[in-house]
Amino acid sequence: MSKLGEKLGFLFEVGFNIGLLTYIKQNNIKNSFGDLYSQDLQQLKFSKIIKKIADSEGVMNESDRKIIKKWVLFFLQKSFLSGLNLCQEYLEAIPVKKRNYKDLEILYYQCYFHGDNSLGTYNNKGEIEGYKAVISQLKDVEHIDQYKKTGEFLKADTLMLIQYENKWHILCIDYSIFSIQEIYQLEDLHSVEVFKRILLKEISYLRKKSIFSNLGLDSKNPGIQLSKSLANHYTAFATKDKESIKMIQAGSYAYSFWKFLSSHNLLRDDISVTFNIMGYSDRGISSMTLTDTKENIEIIETCHHIYKKKPPVQEISTARSKILEVIKVKGANSFNEGKSFLNQLLNISSDGITSFVHQEKIENFSSPLSPISQEVAHQLNLDPNLDLRNAHQELIKRELESEKTYLFLTGNPGIGKTTAITEFLKQEKILKEGFLFIYVSPRIQVNLDILEKFTNKTTNQLCDDQIFTITTNSNLIKRNGGKITVNYCSNEYTKDRFINQNVHFINQRSEELDFEYSNSSRIFRQTEDTVIDTGQRNKGVLLSLSQAINTIISQEISNNIVATVAMQSYKKTKKCDTLSHLENIFSSAYNSSTEKVIDNEMKKISQRIK
């Protein structure tokens, strides 16, 4: 049986660690490993590694061997860039301000470039010698035999101990390759058709995955626990969802390392520890972020227990049968006549089609239109004739009229959270005070529905002349040449279009207009005789909305603003943070150079808009 995927996994690990080490070297980060790994890297000969793969897979044809070489270089490049970028993002997240690493030190860095990771091409350093060389970064440490077994930290692919100020950070990563397992999957990377097939295959794979495929666990508070009985589930799915399994493996190594540091009195009482544990593949990441509370240590101890019980392949089918039985028992308790229901559900016919009817009547169910109980009405001082939705609305209005600074609304869809807000804002006394209402949703139609709540259905006009509504989305901005653009509605403003402070206001009620479009900004002279189309550069939706709100406020267009925006994602990079655009809302009353509010301007705004 081919082990090509395993071999490429070793190279993925090597490339990733080279990327991590490169970033450390480029930024002169203080460390304890010195030239330990540079000496090992000098012994790696990638031509030998490529030859070893080709020979072990029985590939003799020279053109096929060249294809193997391209794939090896591809995985090395991909993993190198992944390691380089992760190291930068990880250190910035600690956080180290402005990449000032002078107060940061890497106390321990563990990786290997010999043995299996070199595919047997560099064996001058034996396993024990390699372990001793790595562990020498921690002074006066002996008796390491118990830590070189399965699940113990000396087996970790990447293990890093970082000290910054009075905190320690342990980063542990385990790697794998999933996209390539067999030699026949290596096709010519110079073919466009091959790339299309690879992309379609990956898209198809990702579509099959559930939301749990990119698993993350961020536990800063006690209360989250994992049971050791999860070892049975691990056994059942040991060959699937591998990022999560790799995360469990990395968690096992992290626990072993923490235990090692504790037993050798290397952990000081005044130092807190944060664990960052990752299962990293060429398709995805599963991760855990844990502090060193007793409950969180128990989580990684459970990972250690689960991984140590890693089963042989023949046990997997048996374990899956057991898990299915557990699901049947638990599922049966969730339905009326649950046992019969699940038996029908699992009774699959020879053609794969099963048809049956299951009915249930849910007792003690309250819909939003159900009247509230006398007890609830008395307890909350509500009219007992109110239904659940209107009672909920009345409670929200009470809180909005109070002096509370923040109000968080939760509840099922349809309970009337947004309706309660809009009904509150339409009151005459609130309109006199002025308001700014911003609603963010990923769906355009939901945003239009919000605006409809401020519209008189009989006249098709806004319910009050004082209200000014705006909305925007990426399609609207693209159609207007990428400029800062919003749709607006107002009983007093009726122009099809107007521009104010570079914001394009397009009347939402007018028939579709001819949008402005210019391709002049798309042309870029690459060389003296080559001109390329760089594509249309569009302003962001949150930037457009924020700039439009600022214009409405600063130009005193309205004191009652309803703004909705369709936003699909939140982006944060070194140069850009999507949410920073919100600062533009009050830019007319803010001095960005001094980072201070202009008091007089802000007082003028607060006199018009509460």
Side-chain angles (χ1 to χ4, degrees):
M1 182 178 177
S2 173
K3 292 188 177 181
L4 180 62
E6 184 179 343
K7 294 167 188 172
L8 291 175
F10 288 135
L11 295 183
F12 191 83
E13 176 186 335
V14 166
F16 207 102
N17 277 305
I18 293 174
L20 289 167
L21 292 167
T22 298
Y23 189 83
I24 293 168
K25 178 73 173 178
Q26 287 176 343
N27 291 274
N28 298 315
I29 299 173
K30 187 178 179 182
N31 61 77
S32 57
F33 54 83
D35 63 352
L36 171 63
Y37 297 116
S38 60
Q39 291 177 0
D40 282 347
L41 286 171
Q42 291 173 18
Q43 303 297 321
L44 278 185
K45 307 297 181 186
F46 289 109
S47 58
K48 290 183 179 181
I49 290 174
I50 294 165
K51 183 178 184 301
K52 185 71 176 282
I53 292 176
D55 291 345
S56 64
E57 295 295 326
V59 177
M60 306 304 296
N61 185 290
E62 188 59 31
S63 62
D64 290 340
R65 293 172 82 94
K66 287 181 179 179
I67 290 174
I68 290 176
K69 179 180 179 181
K70 291 172 188 174
W71 275 94
V72 168
L73 293 176
F74 167 72
F75 275 117
L76 283 172
Q77 182 186 41
K78 182 175 183 176
S79 56
F80 170 80
L81 293 174
S82 298
L84 191 73
N85 292 332
L86 183 136
C87 194
Q88 175 185 324
E89 293 168 1
Y90 179 70
L91 294 179
E92 287 179 354
I94 283 179
V96 180
K97 297 179 180 177
K98 297 181 180 178
R99 298 199 200 174
N100 182 6
Y101 298 129
K102 63 182 179 66
D103 297 325
L104 182 146
E105 182 179 2
I106 299 173
L107 303 176
Y108 182 79
Y109 187 104
Q110 175 184 309
C111 67
Y112 304 106
F113 296 114
H114 60 278
D116 286 341
N117 284 3
S118 70
L119 303 190
T121 60
Y122 167 38
N123 284 320
N124 295 348
K125 181 185 289 187
E127 184 182 70
I128 300 301
E129 183 184 347
Y131 291 153
K132 288 182 177 179
V134 167
I135 207 72
S136 65
Q137 298 172 69
L138 302 172
K139 309 301 181 185
D140 302 324
V141 173
E142 298 178 355
H143 309 299
I144 62 172
D145 288 350
Q146 70 181 90
Y147 297 106
K148 61 184 183 182
K149 300 175 183 177
T150 299
E152 304 297 339
F153 78 90
L154 287 174
K155 293 289 187 180
D157 294 346
T158 297
L159 183 58
M160 200 185 316
L161 174 61
I162 300 170
Q163 180 171 340
Y164 182 67
E165 296 177 341
N166 63 335
K167 296 180 180 178
W168 279 11
H169 299 263
I170 295 176
L171 173 66
C172 189
I173 313 176
D174 201 79
Y175 309 98
S176 192
I177 287 289
F178 301 151
S179 60
I180 298 294
Q181 293 297 321
E182 304 288 343
I183 190 67
Y184 70 84
Q185 295 175 293
L186 299 186
E187 300 183 81
D188 189 359
L189 289 175
H190 281 178
S191 168
V192 174
E193 289 302 317
V194 168
F195 265 114
K196 286 173 65 177
R197 283 201 301 272
I198 292 172
L199 286 172
L200 288 172
K201 178 183 175 183
E202 291 303 300
I203 290 170
S204 176
Y205 170 81
L206 292 173
R207 281 176 175 169
K208 294 176 184 176
K209 306 296 283 183
S210 72
I211 190 64
F212 299 105
S213 58
N214 288 319
L215 178 65
L217 173 62
D218 190 343
S219 176
K220 299 293 177 64
N221 300 306
I224 298 178
Q225 293 184 339
L226 297 178
S227 169
K228 288 185 173 60
S229 63
L230 283 174
N232 297 324
H233 295 262
Y234 175 87
T235 303
F237 302 105
T239 59
K240 301 292 183 183
D241 300 323
K242 284 195 174 179
E243 287 87 6
S244 57
I245 287 177
K246 288 293 176 182
M247 180 188 70
I248 290 172
Q249 189 171 341
S252 175
Y253 298 142
Y255 173 73
S256 171
F257 189 54
W258 176 84
K259 194 174 179 182
F260 165 81
L261 294 174
S262 301
S263 63
H264 285 77
N265 297 318
L266 296 172
L267 284 175
R268 298 207 317 262
D269 293 336
D270 60 330
I271 287 189
S272 63
V273 181
T274 298
F275 298 89
N276 296 101
I277 298 160
M278 296 185 188
Y280 201 114
S281 82
D282 57 332
R283 278 179 168 166
I285 305 170
S286 287
S287 64
M288 289 193 290
T289 300
L290 307 168
T291 53
D292 58 343
T293 63
K294 180 179 180 294
E295 293 83 359
N296 289 341
I297 295 297
E298 288 176 359
I299 290 176
I300 57 175
E301 183 184 8
T302 298
C303 291
H304 187 66
H305 170 78
I306 290 172
Y307 183 65
K308 295 279 278 188
K309 287 190 66 176
K310 187 171 66 170
V313 175
Q314 62 268 25
E315 289 185 15
I316 293 176
S317 59
T318 304
R320 287 180 179 173
S321 298
K322 290 180 179 178
I323 293 300
L324 181 59
E325 288 301 316
V326 172
I327 292 172
K328 287 170 64 177
V329 171
K330 297 295 183 183
N333 294 331
S334 301
F335 301 93
N336 292 331
E337 302 296 330
K339 188 175 181 180
S340 173
F341 169 58
L342 284 171
N343 286 334
Q344 292 179 83
L345 191 66
L346 295 170
N347 184 24
I348 301 172
S349 62
S350 58
D351 59 3
I353 299 174
T354 301
S355 177
F356 64 92
V357 176
H358 176 78
Q359 294 182 344
E360 288 195 33
K361 182 179 179 181
I362 301 175
E363 303 289 346
N364 300 320
F365 174 77
S366 296
S367 78
L369 301 180
S370 301
I372 60 174
S373 68
Q374 294 292 322
E375 182 183 353
V376 169
H378 176 74
Q379 183 179 354
L380 299 176
N381 193 25
L382 291 169
D383 183 347
N385 296 316
L386 290 176
D387 60 33
L388 183 60
R389 179 181 292 167
N390 286 318
H392 187 257
Q393 181 172 306
E394 177 62 29
L395 293 173
I396 291 173
K397 283 184 178 180
R398 284 186 194 174
E399 296 301 315
L400 288 170
E401 290 171 350
S402 69
E403 296 301 317
K404 290 185 172 66
T405 306
Y406 299 104
L407 178 62
F408 295 88
L409 303 183
T410 62
N412 294 333
I415 193 65
K417 301 182 293 295
T418 311
T419 301
I421 297 288
T422 56
E423 291 300 316
F424 173 79
L425 294 176
K426 288 190 288 186
Q427 297 176 93
E428 185 61 32
K429 63 177 181 179
I430 303 300
L431 288 167
K432 287 181 179 179
E433 292 177 339
F435 65 79
L436 168 59
F437 176 48
I438 301 175
Y439 188 91
V440 182
S441 164
R443 294 181 290 169
I444 296 173
Q445 187 56 51
V446 171
N447 295 335
L448 296 177
D449 292 343
I450 296 296
L451 302 185
E452 281 294 313
K453 293 180 183 293
F454 292 90
T455 303
N456 186 316
K457 294 182 179 179
T458 304
T459 63
N460 203 31
Q461 297 286 303
L462 292 176
C463 60
D464 195 281
D465 292 345
Q466 300 172 79
I467 296 174
F468 192 99
T469 74
I470 58 172
T471 185
T472 191
N473 58 74
S474 59
N475 292 334
L476 177 70
I477 295 169
K478 286 177 184 176
R479 289 166 57 207
N480 197 36
K483 300 178 178 67
I484 295 176
T485 310
V486 295
N487 275 144
Y488 83 92
C489 271
S490 170
N491 294 347
E492 295 184 342
Y493 288 77
T494 57
K495 290 182 179 180
D496 286 337
R497 172 198 294 273
F498 69 91
I499 301 174
N500 196 325
Q501 293 186 336
N502 293 321
V503 179
H504 292 241
F505 291 85
I506 299 174
N507 197 322
Q508 189 173 332
R509 294 198 182 105
S510 63
E511 295 183 4
E512 189 163 342
L513 304 171
D514 292 330
F515 284 85
E516 297 180 11
Y517 183 78
S518 171
N519 65 0
S520 59
S521 62
R522 297 175 59 164
I523 305 303
F524 173 70
R525 184 178 292 278
Q526 192 174 42
T527 63
E528 188 174 339
D529 59 353
T530 304
V531 175
I532 63 172
D533 182 356
T534 59
Q536 180 173 299
R537 298 172 183 173
N538 300 315
K539 297 296 184 182
V541 291
L542 203 57
L543 171 64
S544 293
L545 189 83
S546 301
Q547 290 279 61
I549 294 173
N550 174 63
T551 299
I552 296 168
I553 292 174
S554 62
Q555 300 300 303
E556 300 189 14
I557 293 173
S558 175
N559 295 337
N560 297 277
I561 306 166
V562 179
T564 68
V565 59
M567 195 171 90
Q568 300 292 334
S569 62
Y570 163 60
K571 298 177 182 177
K572 185 171 183 178
T573 65
K574 292 183 293 180
K575 298 180 180 178
C576 174
D577 185 330
T578 302
L579 296 184
S580 64
H581 295 312
L582 293 173
E583 296 174 2
N584 293 322
I585 291 175
F586 298 109
S587 59
S588 62
Y590 180 74
N591 188 327
S592 58
S593 60
T594 62
E595 298 184 346
K596 291 184 178 180
V597 172
I598 304 172
D599 290 339
N600 290 335
E601 295 300 322
M602 188 55 79
K603 286 177 181 177
K604 290 178 183 178
I605 293 173
S606 64
Q607 288 169 0
R608 295 190 292 112
I609 301 175
K610 184 180 178 181

